[in-house]
Amino acid sequence: MEFFDTPEQEALRDALRSFTRKHATPERVRAAMASQTGIDEAAWKSLSNDLGLLGLAVPESVGGAGAGFAEVTVAVEELGRVLLPSPYASSALVVLLLAESVAPLAEELLPGLADGSLVGAPAWHADLSVGADGSLTGTAGNVVDGAAADVFLIAMGRDLLAVRASAVTVTPQPTLDQTRPQASLRLDAAPAVRVGESARALALHRVLTAAECLAGAEHCLDVTVGYLKTREQFGRPIGSFQALKHRCADLAVEVAAARSAVRAAVWTAALPEHAHPEQARPEVSLAALAPLAALVASRTFTRVTGEMIQLHGGIGFTWEHEAHLYFKRAKSSQLLLGSDTALRAEIGRVAGLLR
Amino acid sequence: MSVSVPDAEAFRAEVRDWLATNLTGEFATLVGRGGPGREHEFVEERIAWERRLGEGGWIGLGWSEEDGGRGLPWSHQVIFYEEYARAGAPGRAGHVGEQLLGPTLIMFGSSEQKQRYLPGILSGAEMWCQGYSEPGAGSDLAAVKTRAELRDGQWHVDGQKVWTSLAQFADWCFVLARTDAAAERHHGLSYLLVPMRQPGVDVRPIVQLTGTSEFNEVFFDDVRAAAQDIVGAPGDGWQVAMGTLAVERGVSTFGQQMGFRQEFEAVLAAAHANGAIDDPQLAARLVEAWIGLQVMHWTALATLGARLGAGPGNAPGTEANVAKLMWASWHRDLGELAVDVGGPEATLTGPDYDLTDAQRLFLFTRSDTIYGGSNEIQRNVIAERLLGLPREAR
């Protein structure tokens, strides 16, 4: 079992941190937030072309790096840590799923997705019906990175379907979290092709989102602790007050728990035998670990960012400070993943705890 | 000399077979006995069981062969602890010797001390207890007042220790005592090995809120220890004692977690039996408890990995503080859940205050967040050593 970065993953993480130090400056993030697309186009081009980040999970035979799910997770974490405004997490998930697919459409789309000239996005919140010819009609909302996408992946029952954006009416939606745009979709007999299993797609989506939440929580705890070490009131650093120290310690424990949950889920998701998540024992099954990691990591991220604002005091309530960006990202991720109640119920069912 | 490591699954089968063969006859009654909350049960029999374990070569699995152990990797130790707990084998009467004193001697002891004391631990022949806490030195351990003086070639020990488990049955106690009256706090302390069976040692059980007694007060009135029975140099006691605390909760964590799992399953079964599972809030808490079990399991694996140098980890030792805060709080929550699942029925005990498992869990887990460093002390350590926050103004 590999619970820590391999040397290759560590090198990737280092390269990404240099990249984000250069590209994800507060000015750049703010500028992208205010832009039409909500994407930092320069950063997107650079991470696609210079870093080849989209091709990480694409087999070498199709021009990719032949790396795996764990490496994609590293990338999602590092970009999420700085809230880099790009459709990376969405498109990388589509790449992962199509790289596992045997559908001819997957082979057709992969090269473009791998070099960043095409963007893919999953649509989880859909209300669709299937026509006699297999086409889809209806709507989907809360499609993260929907306006940038050239292809959508949609879960219908057990199937994962691909729909080209050219067959869909896409409307951008204003978002609470301005670092991650969303769109709504209208489909009118849009041609759809089966490319895989919906359970696998949902599981990988949850694990990637959980990993992004973990990185955000780590960042916010670091920043908060750093602030408490330097901010002085009553003639001493406020981080010396036990009331604040204990709150930070509790957050550190929560982050450690989230890290365990995410690492376990990533490790499990990368195992080939878990391509069919429903078949394994609950303790090691992706069917349980994916919602578990999603629940724990998004809850932790939400709690850490709330505490970040409180522990920063007034400055944490300003638009200028970064705290609100993470606070909004955390809550949005939590809401998009589904309610705690629903995730718990699912975990309880999969683990055989409930009747 | 190379250590031959058996195949993991073969080893698991070996542990299972041995337990199935040996946890029978006179030892059959010990299933589910002893351990936290039941430390007072069948102690004599559990000491006999410890000797049986020693004969089987199941003590000191991770110690090097040079130290008399089997030199097995942590993965095999985990298997042993898991199978041991799965079989319901009794709480170890010898765990203080094996888990605390043994590793301390291996780390800090002289070769004469290792030769003298390790075999007794490995065979189960000698039982140990821990003499750290005092009435005035709980969270603030450096405030110990027990004194020891070297006179006429012997240490003379005077003072009082408290929260000493199994003290009535122990042959030896490792005692943190002040040997330099002029030195303060962490300085001037020494780590002494004191025989328990001698005049001047008075053990008085403490009746806990469970109505049972697992812990004791131990009084030393001019009690003697041999001059050479000091671990480390005079004045090094604090470093040696901290070393013991650092080795506490190694791979035995996995056995502890197997016990947690069994307790959880009992609570879950009770909820299904009496219909509590249909209460959405109780159901949610049960799922959260299961989630906590998984998180603790993976955290323990990550901690082991960090210890073995497989990863960057954090500041040395703080993983143990994080894990302690995690499991102690989890276990206390499970105790509350256990009686909440029971409902009104959980308010009734057997005759003579004989508690149900759920009641025992509910009551005893109140000690989990206090002993071995209270939750508040764990938070201080995490804040200062892991997060690097400044020390409180004192």
Side-chain angles (χ1 to χ4, degrees):
Chain A
M1 156 180 349
E2 193 49 73
F3 241 66
F4 301 97
D5 288 351
T6 61
E8 293 76 19
Q9 287 163 6
E10 216 174 291
L12 174 64
R13 205 179 280 281
D14 287 345
L16 281 160
R17 290 201 177 172
S18 315
F19 175 85
T20 56
R21 264 195 298 278
K22 186 172 159 210
H23 287 278
T25 59
E27 298 75 30
R28 290 271 298 272
V29 172
R30 303 279 170 151
M33 278 165 60
S35 73
Q36 191 70 37
T37 58
I39 292 170
D40 186 328
E41 298 291 348
W44 175 247
K45 283 206 172 62
S46 182
L47 72 82
S48 313
N49 301 332
D50 305 342
L51 291 179
L53 221 49
L54 272 307
L56 267 181
V58 173
E60 290 175 34
S61 59
V62 200
F69 183 70
E71 286 73 22
V72 174
T73 309
V74 169
V76 167
E77 283 180 6
E78 292 313 314
L79 301 183
R81 197 181 299 277
V82 295
L83 301 179
L84 186 94
S86 84
Y88 180 75
S90 300
S91 213
L93 173 65
V94 172
V95 170
L96 276 166
L97 293 165
L98 292 186
E100 292 178 359
S101 174
V102 293
L105 180 65
E107 206 177 323
E108 190 185 319
L109 291 171
L110 268 178
L113 288 165
D115 68 17
S117 57
L118 295 179
V119 170
W124 298 111
H125 307 270
D127 179 15
L128 297 163
S129 55
V130 188
D133 59 351
S135 69
L136 296 177
T137 297
T139 58
N142 297 111
V143 182
V144 169
D145 301 317
D150 301 286
V151 60
F152 297 104
L153 295 188
I154 298 171
M156 285 294 287
R158 298 171 63 95
D159 294 330
L160 184 69
L161 308 176
V163 176
R164 286 180 187 273
S166 53
V168 178
T169 308
V170 181
T171 311
Q173 294 172 311
T175 47
L176 179 72
D177 167 15
Q178 296 173 303
T179 64
R180 192 169 58 185
Q182 297 182 29
S184 63
L185 314 183
R186 171 161 288 285
L187 289 74
D188 187 8
V193 177
R194 187 186 184 282
V195 291
E197 290 179 23
S198 57
R200 172 77 175 162
L202 181 60
L204 295 191
H205 164 69
R206 285 167 162 176
V207 179
L208 283 181
T209 309
E212 189 189 79
C213 288
L214 167 66
E218 287 174 347
H219 170 81
C220 292
L221 180 58
D222 284 351
V223 169
T224 304
V225 167
Y227 182 72
L228 296 186
K229 287 177 188 171
T230 53
R231 168 72 175 169
E232 294 197 2
Q233 290 284 273
F234 307 102
R236 50 186 153 132
I238 60 174
S240 67
F241 291 111
Q242 200 175 40
L244 306 192
K245 286 162 83 168
H246 281 195
R247 281 162 72 173
C248 290
D250 283 337
L251 294 180
V253 172
E254 276 199 55
V255 169
R259 191 178 296 126
S260 294
V262 168
R263 292 281 172 271
V266 170
W267 178 73
T268 307
L271 295 175
E273 61 264 37
H274 290 295
H276 301 285
E278 63 283 354
Q279 291 171 3
R281 284 189 303 139
E283 292 86 349
V284 291
S285 91
L286 193 54
L289 279 172
L292 189 158
L295 173 70
V296 173
S298 68
R299 180 161 68 191
T300 299
F301 192 17
T302 303
R303 210 166 284 171
V304 172
T305 54
E307 286 287 80
M308 183 188 199
I309 293 175
Q310 180 66 24
L311 293 171
H312 274 80
I315 190 75
F317 186 67
T318 63
W319 186 265
E320 180 192 1
H321 198 274
E322 64 180 330
H324 74 103
L325 303 182
Y326 289 91
F327 184 63
K328 293 165 182 173
R329 169 64 66 93
K331 183 45 84 176
S332 302
S333 293
Q334 197 182 24
L335 295 174
L336 291 172
L337 283 166
S339 73
D340 280 14
T341 311
L343 288 171
R344 250 194 317 260
E346 181 180 338
I347 295 163
R349 273 196 310 277
V350 174
L353 308 176
L354 308 175
R355 356 184 189 253
Chain B
M1 187 168 62
S2 72
V3 178
S4 65
V5 176
D7 168 75
E9 285 317 303
F11 181 73
R12 190 180 288 280
E14 184 193 340
V15 177
R16 266 188 202 188
D17 288 350
W18 189 88
L19 287 169
T21 312
N22 286 274
L23 199 53
T24 52
E26 57 176 313
F27 297 122
T29 52
L30 293 183
V31 169
R33 302 295 183 170
R38 292 178 173 277
E39 204 66 277
H40 57 293
E41 296 174 338
F42 297 90
V43 182
E44 310 268 6
E45 293 81 354
R46 282 160 54 213
I47 291 172
W49 169 248
E50 196 70 18
R51 294 186 180 137
R52 177 67 67 89
L53 284 172
E55 286 163 21
W58 299 110
I59 304 177
L61 292 179
W63 299 5
S64 71
E65 294 195 346
E66 193 189 341
D67 291 322
R70 286 174 65 175
L72 291 173
W74 65 267
S75 52
H76 287 62
Q77 299 171 54
V78 169
I79 290 171
F80 174 77
Y81 282 108
E82 286 186 346
E83 290 304 322
Y84 189 89
R86 199 192 308 274
R92 296 281 300 276
H95 67 93
V96 179
E98 190 201 23
Q99 298 291 323
L100 303 181
L101 182 71
T104 303
L105 286 179
I106 289 169
M107 214 186 311
F108 299 101
S110 66
S111 53
E112 290 76 18
Q113 287 169 338
K114 289 189 225 179
Q115 277 167 25
R116 164 62 188 86
Y117 294 112
L118 295 183
I121 296 171
L122 291 165
S123 66
E126 289 182 327
M127 294 293 119
W128 287 83
C129 63
Q130 171 175 281
Y132 279 7
S133 295
E134 296 182 7
S139 288
D140 184 13
L141 185 59
V144 293
K145 288 203 181 73
T146 293
R147 286 172 291 112
E149 206 180 324
L150 192 57
R151 274 199 320 265
D152 315 323
Q154 277 188 315
W155 291 103
H156 294 250
V157 185
D158 287 278
Q160 181 191 352
K161 294 293 176 183
V162 73
W163 303 118
T164 312
S165 39
L166 302 169
Q168 312 90 315
F169 303 93
D171 304 288
W172 292 86
C173 183
F174 47 94
V175 174
L176 189 61
R178 196 161 290 284
T179 47
D180 180 354
E184 291 193 349
R185 308 280 308 156
H186 313 76
H187 307 286
L189 299 172
S190 296
Y191 192 104
L192 302 175
L193 308 179
V194 178
M196 287 293 281
R197 301 184 197 283
Q198 60 169 311
V201 176
D202 183 15
V203 177
R204 300 180 199 165
I206 298 170
V207 182
Q208 304 151 192
L209 52 73
T210 49
T212 55
S213 297
E214 291 155 82
F215 302 107
N216 305 279
E217 296 177 290
V218 179
F219 294 85
F220 296 123
D221 179 12
D222 194 22
V223 160
R224 315 297 169 86
Q228 71 273 17
D229 280 340
I230 176 170
V231 182
D236 284 352
W238 182 260
Q239 287 72 24
V240 177
M242 289 302 108
T244 307
L245 290 180
V247 297
E248 207 172 350
R249 304 273 166 230
V251 287
S252 62
T253 303
F254 291 92
Q256 181 194 37
Q257 292 193 2
M258 182 65 77
F260 287 171
R261 190 169 297 247
Q262 289 166 338
E263 288 170 348
F264 168 79
E265 271 158 20
V267 176
L268 181 68
H272 278 275
N274 75 359
I277 194 76
D278 296 324
D279 177 323
Q281 289 203 21
L282 290 175
R285 286 166 65 192
L286 282 161
V287 176
E288 289 287 354
W290 187 83
I291 290 171
L293 269 179
Q294 313 311 312
V295 165
M296 289 190 294
H297 177 70
W298 293 100
T299 302
L301 287 175
T303 303
L304 263 183
R307 266 192 210 165
L308 295 169
N314 296 310
T318 52
E319 305 93 349
N321 302 93
V322 170
K324 168 81 205 296
L325 195 47
M326 227 182 241
W327 75 252
S329 306
W330 179 88
H331 205 207
R332 193 172 68 182
D333 287 349
L334 185 70
E336 292 200 9
L337 182 53
V339 288
D340 287 347
V341 160
E345 206 155 312
T347 63
L348 304 176
T349 71
D352 301 325
Y353 212 64
D354 186 18
L355 302 173
T356 63
D357 286 346
Q359 289 167 338
R360 188 179 299 105
L361 194 62
F362 171 62
L363 294 176
F364 192 80
T365 52
R366 287 283 142 183
S367 71
D368 288 336
T369 51
I370 299 172
Y371 74 77
S374 69
N375 277 14
E376 290 68 27
I377 290 293
Q378 305 299 343
R379 290 187 179 104
N380 284 351
V381 174
I382 291 166
E384 289 172 13
R385 300 210 200 125
L386 177 66
L387 301 177
L389 286 166
R391 290 174 68 87
E392 186 105 354
R394 289 176 215 256

